[in-house]
Amino acid sequence: MGKKDAGATKLPVDQYRKQIGKQDYKKTKSALKATRLKAEAKKSSSGFKDAFLVIAAILFFVLCVYAFFYLNLSTEINMDLDVD
């Protein structure tokens, strides 16, 4: 069983967190709204960015496969023409 007074002393970390929390109240509402809108825009745009990167990677892979087969088949056709 602990004493009642033991819980009264706060850790420095808790005091620091309380001070940080109070700083948000010092900001104006327009500044808080602007930061909230910026965070939401960043959050929503990351979905489009990820989708674009996935599509670009798939297209790049398909292009590499196409180039491989194009170069592979074009050299075989040229060899056949040179032999005749």
Side-chain angles (χ1 to χ4, degrees):
M1 298 277 190
K3 294 183 180 180
K4 290 182 181 179
D5 295 335
T9 59
K10 293 187 177 181
L11 296 173
V13 174
D14 291 335
Q15 291 174 354
Y16 175 74
R17 288 178 182 160
K18 188 174 182 180
Q19 288 174 353
I20 295 297
K22 287 182 180 179
Q23 289 179 2
D24 283 341
Y25 295 116
K26 294 178 184 177
K27 296 179 183 176
T28 62
K29 288 187 178 183
S30 60
L32 291 172
K33 186 176 181 181
T35 54
R36 186 178 69 240
L37 290 174
K38 185 189 283 187
E40 288 176 2
K42 185 178 180 182
K43 191 178 201 181
S44 66
S45 68
S46 67
F48 294 117
K49 186 177 179 182
D50 291 341
F52 176 74
L53 287 175
V54 168
I55 291 171
I58 291 171
L59 288 175
F60 180 74
F61 177 73
V62 170
L63 181 67
C64 289
V65 170
Y66 177 78
F68 173 75
F69 284 119
Y70 177 77
L71 293 173
N72 195 12
L73 292 176
S74 66
T75 54
E76 288 180 10
I77 292 172
N78 289 338
M79 289 180 151
D80 290 341
L81 292 175
D82 291 339
V83 173
D84 288 337

